[in-house]
Amino acid sequence: MAEPAYVKIAGDLARQIRNGEIPPGSQLPSLDDLAEINGVSRIVARQVFELLVSQGLVRTVRRKGAFVVDKPNLIRVSPERQYEDPEVTFRNEAVEEVEVARDTETLAADVPLSEELGVEVGSDVVHVTTRASIGGRPVSISESYQPAGVEGTESAAFLEETLSDVVPRPDHAEWLQLSPADVVKSVYQRFLGPSDDVVMVSTISYPRDRYSAMRFRMALGNSAVE
């Protein structure tokens, strides 16, 4: 999915906040200044601040401006993170080294997968396993499936996410260095086309204490994204 300007700008600021370049308590540029510095509209600048607030990095004070919080939280915000590669997202969340590894295979759809993707049984399906670690500590593992010939999520018009606390698959538990009985935060995603055709499905497992909160943001009809 193409990265909107506000996601990139917020990501750059988030990285500077987390690595200490912008210390706690610092005042960020005004709405007008942020727009001018980055060559974007006030609408986009406002979206930057809204995203940083949602991520637990910034607080706004009426008639005074936006300030970096004393103790930044780690909050997973969707769908903005879908606009970034995992390498970028996790780099914005940490100051340690980020490593992301992917394994890709093509397999034949079984009955459950054919029903989930809306394809014929036996059809080719691309399966990607993505493992992420920060500073050598595993922080995420995901499985995505999409019909062969469909690349990425550029054609998606809708994103559905379901959040649950579940006992992970054995391979997910092993990667996250958990016991088989431990519970993880699981996010199930469906990327849908304009006619509700399935572009991709994905299941992501995080350690239960990875994020202090998970939020889903939806752009409404009167919102503008540049």
Side-chain angles (χ1 to χ4, degrees):
M1 301 176 74
E3 183 183 50
Y6 79 96
V7 173
K8 182 182 185 308
I9 297 167
D12 291 341
L13 289 170
R15 194 157 49 249
Q16 294 175 59
I17 290 170
R18 294 196 190 282
N19 67 21
E21 289 181 50
I22 305 178
S26 298
Q27 183 172 9
L28 296 181
S30 68
L31 196 66
D32 288 334
D33 287 345
L34 187 67
E36 182 177 354
I37 291 169
N38 292 279
V40 297
S41 68
R42 283 174 54 89
I43 293 175
V44 173
R46 186 176 295 109
Q47 289 174 316
V48 171
F49 286 128
E50 290 173 351
L51 182 52
L52 291 171
V53 169
S54 295
Q55 292 173 331
L57 297 173
V58 167
R59 61 184 177 88
T60 57
V61 179
R62 185 175 175 81
R63 294 177 181 170
K64 291 186 178 181
F67 299 83
V68 176
V69 299
D70 293 335
K71 294 182 178 180
N73 292 321
L74 196 57
I75 297 175
R76 181 186 188 278
V77 179
S78 287
E80 278 79 4
R81 70 184 294 121
Q82 305 308 322
Y83 296 115
E84 301 171 325
D85 289 333
E87 289 89 340
V88 175
T89 295
F90 288 116
R91 192 165 63 247
N92 291 344
E93 293 180 349
V95 297
E96 300 168 281
E97 182 180 359
V98 173
E99 293 185 5
V100 177
R102 295 174 179 82
D103 294 323
T104 303
E105 63 176 343
T106 300
L107 47 81
D110 56 14
V111 173
L113 197 51
S114 69
E115 293 176 349
E116 195 172 21
L117 292 176
V119 299
E120 296 289 335
V121 174
S123 298
D124 285 348
V125 172
V126 177
H127 169 222
V128 179
T129 302
T130 303
R131 301 174 181 87
S133 62
I134 296 177
R137 301 184 308 276
V139 295
S140 172
I141 179 170
S142 68
E143 314 282 344
S144 67
Y145 301 87
Q146 63 185 144
V150 179
E151 297 184 6
T153 55
E154 290 293 334
S155 61
F158 305 99
L159 168 62
E160 298 177 350
E161 285 197 346
T162 303
L163 174 66
S164 56
D165 292 339
V166 301
V167 175
R169 292 172 25 166
D171 55 334
H172 283 211
E174 181 180 3
W175 169 252
L176 294 174
Q177 300 178 359
L178 303 173
S179 74
D182 283 333
V183 171
V184 298
K185 286 290 186 184
S186 178
V187 179
Y188 175 70
Q189 300 175 324
R190 291 206 314 156
F191 292 87
L192 305 173
S195 301
D196 278 353
D197 51 306
V198 180
V199 175
M200 177 190 289
V201 296
S202 180
T203 300
I204 314 165
S205 296
Y206 301 101
R208 196 175 183 184
D209 60 353
R210 167 68 186 165
Y211 296 102
S212 60
M214 293 191 177
R215 296 175 181 166
F216 189 92
R217 290 164 47 93
M218 182 178 69
L220 301 178
N222 60 356
S223 297
V225 178
E226 296 182 5

